[in-house]
Amino acid sequence: RCDAELRARAAPFPIAAGVCTFIERLSPTETLELQRSADALVLFNYTVPAAAGGTLSFPAKSFEYLNARRPILAIPRDPGGWGNALIDSTRSGMAVDSIDEIAGVIEGWRRRWRATEALPYEGDDAAIARYGQPAQAAALAGLLDGAVQGTTVKR
């Protein structure tokens, strides 16, 4: 819904604008297919740190990206740390802050792509599965069962 603004922001950078493709709104199925066919994924990490508990929110897109099993570049690092821990623990990508870090990752990916026509992906399937719908549904069911029984359930 922000395509016009994104195009305008990219316009002063003709090389970047030339490689950006803006796709109109897609169905959820089309979106997932596009993610799974990508060489890499960029996650714009706009979270808000809470004073005591860290991150108040984290992009739900993160979980779709984990399922796509493609290298993830999260920008910027999560100020609450949870998103960084998610990416690190699943070995699904990296989080960076500075322009130099972003450029370094993209340049490394570009060199790798030119050499092999593929990007390395070393995601930990077992770790990723902990964030999938079946595992999350089981955790929620355990919490609900505990609430109904009046007991505390450890997570």
Side-chain angles (χ1 to χ4, degrees), residues 45-69:
N45 210 5
Y46 295 107
T47 60
V48 178
T55 306
L56 288 175
S57 65
F58 194 71
K61 187 70 54 193
S62 307
F63 302 102
E64 290 179 15
Y65 280 16
L66 287 177
N67 193 43
R69 292 182 167 54

Side-chain angles (χ1 to χ4, degrees), residues 4-146:
E5 180 182 349
L6 292 171
R7 282 187 184 100
R9 288 183 180 230
F13 306 96
I15 294 171
V19 298
C20 290
T21 301
F22 295 92
I23 302 170
E24 297 302 320
R25 192 167 179 89
L26 298 172
S27 72
T29 300
E30 291 170 314
T31 300
L32 295 174
E33 288 172 4
L34 190 60
Q35 290 168 5
R36 291 177 185 139
S37 69
D39 295 310
L41 300 164
V42 177
L43 178 66
F44 293 105
N45 210 5
Y46 295 107
T47 60
V48 178
T55 306
L56 288 175
S57 65
F58 194 71
K61 187 70 54 193
S62 307
F63 302 102
E64 290 179 15
Y65 280 16
L66 287 177
N67 193 43
R69 292 182 167 54
R70 297 291 185 263
I72 300 169
L73 175 59
I75 306 167
R77 285 186 177 89
D78 175 19
W82 188 89
N84 298 345
L86 173 74
I87 289 172
D88 290 344
S89 70
T90 58
R91 296 191 341 240
S92 58
M94 64 205 73
V96 297
D97 282 318
S98 73
I99 300 283
D100 289 339
E101 288 176 304
I102 296 165
V105 170
I106 292 173
E107 177 59 22
W109 281 353
R110 188 186 66 80
R111 276 190 303 239
R112 177 67 179 253
W113 176 255
R114 284 191 171 175
T116 65
E117 293 190 6
L119 295 180
Y121 176 73
E122 300 171 357
D124 179 341
D125 287 339
I128 290 169
R130 289 194 304 262
Y131 299 100
Q133 289 176 340
Q136 293 298 304
L140 178 58
L143 290 170
L144 293 173
D145 280 350

